[in-house]
């Protein structure tokens, strides 16, 4: 199955993902996005009193606060029913600050978002359709995800590309489970990774199993050809259809995830929410410290109420 995506046609039309599902449960759009607020981002022109002296404008953008949040036309910014808990995360990116917001941070935030959503729609009375920008950081796979990129051709001890997580078992198109590792009590290869050649053989691809491990640097001339073991396995449907970690997490909870089309983030209506919040933010006076700045960011975001959303 294709990941759940909006399609962008050549004539400029957009085809929304088909949100009609069997059983006709209500589907609620929840869109995610990240945006950064800068300390010195201020409106440059304003009316001043005759007694006011011009102040020199600070250079650069100053400290920044990144906001990662979920927003819905039905629920506004995603919060608990009593409004005391929220999905929003403020993140001070950079060295000696909060570090960097990565896929694990986003996964944790998604867990909270699902919990809050299910408070509004108990007993799975609605399904959330989570929309994300199609950014590389959002496409990251789980540690044990199927990948043909780094696996050896031969049978040997191999514990994932960073040596930490065994790759998960897979299911062939006919529904049969294929184990990627030999069992721990195997006489010759206890607990070892089967290797690309063996995995291809088990799929009935005997000729392909005899190909070289990979073309130089895995830069195959024709990416559809059966030129090397890695390319053949890479093009197998189960390896092709490996979904990003955030999609797997959401689908595990019975909800839907999709990407907005690449380079068309304007289709994500949350962009207008950020725009409105920033318009308000830029009118506020310059702040002296991060705590003050944080207060301004939150106040500006909350200016975008559900009516506007
Ligand atoms: Zn190749």
């Amino acid at each position: 199955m294709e990941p759940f995506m909006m399609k962008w046609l050549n004539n400029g039309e957009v085809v929304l993902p088909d949100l009609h599902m069997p059983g006709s449960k209500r589907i609620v759009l929840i869109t995610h996005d990240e945006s950064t607020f800068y300390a010195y981002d201020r409106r440059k022109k304003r009316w001043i009193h005759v007694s006011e002296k011009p102040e020199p404008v600070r250079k650069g953008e100053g400290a920044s606060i990144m906001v990662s949040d979920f927003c819905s036309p039905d629920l506004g910014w995603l919060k608990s029913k009593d409004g005391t808990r929220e999905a929003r995360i403020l993140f001070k990116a950079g060295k000696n600050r909060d570090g960097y917001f990565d896929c694990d941070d986003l996964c944790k935030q998604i867990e909270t978002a699902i919990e809050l959503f299910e408070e509004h729609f108990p007993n799975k009375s609605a399904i959330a359709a989570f929309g994300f920008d199609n950014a590389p950081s959002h496409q990251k796979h789980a540690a044990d995800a199927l990948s043909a990129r780094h696996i050896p051709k031969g049978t040997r001890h191999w514990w994932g590309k960073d040596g930490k997580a065994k790759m998960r078992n897979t299911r062939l198109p006919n529904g049969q489970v294929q184990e990627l590792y030999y069992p721990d009590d195997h006489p010759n290869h206890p607990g070892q990774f089967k290797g690309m050649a063996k995995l291809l053989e088990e799929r009935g691809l005997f000729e392909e199993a005899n190909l070289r491990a990979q073309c130089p640097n895995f830069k195959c001339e024709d990416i559809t050809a059966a030129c090397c073991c890695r390319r053949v396995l890479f093009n197998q449907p189960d390896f092709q259809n490996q979904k990003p970690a955030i999609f797997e997490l959401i689908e595990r909870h019975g909800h839907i995830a999709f990407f907005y089309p690449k380079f068309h983030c304007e289709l994500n209506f949350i962009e207008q929410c950020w725009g409105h919040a920033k318009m308000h933010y830029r009118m506020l006076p310059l702040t002296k410290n991060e705590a003050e700045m944080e207060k301004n960011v939150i106040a500006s975001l909350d200016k975008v109420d559900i009516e506007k959303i």
Side-chain angles (χ1 to χ4, degrees), residues 212 214-215 218-222 225 227-228 231:
R212 59 176 162 178
Q214 67 171 24
C215 298
F218 195 38
K219 298 242 173 356
C220 308
E221 261 176 45
D222 174 2
C227 49
C228 55
R231 181 59 61 190

Side-chain angles (χ1 to χ4, degrees), residues 36-42 58-66 92-93 97 281 286-287 289-290 293:
T36 305
F37 288 73
Y38 296 95
Y40 302 159
D41 181 17
R42 279 296 171 283
R58 288 195 201 224
K59 284 197 178 140
E61 293 169 319
S64 64
I65 291 179
M66 195 206 83
K92 293 160 200 147
R97 300 176 86 211
Y281 175 77
L286 273 181
T287 47
N289 55 48
E290 276 190 350
M293 180 184 167

Side-chain angles (χ1 to χ4, degrees), residues 19 21-27 123-127:
L19 297 182
M21 306 261 293
S24 66
K25 255 193 193 175
R26 183 171 167 198
I27 296 185
N123 308 318
K124 302 259 176 216
S125 52
I127 293 173

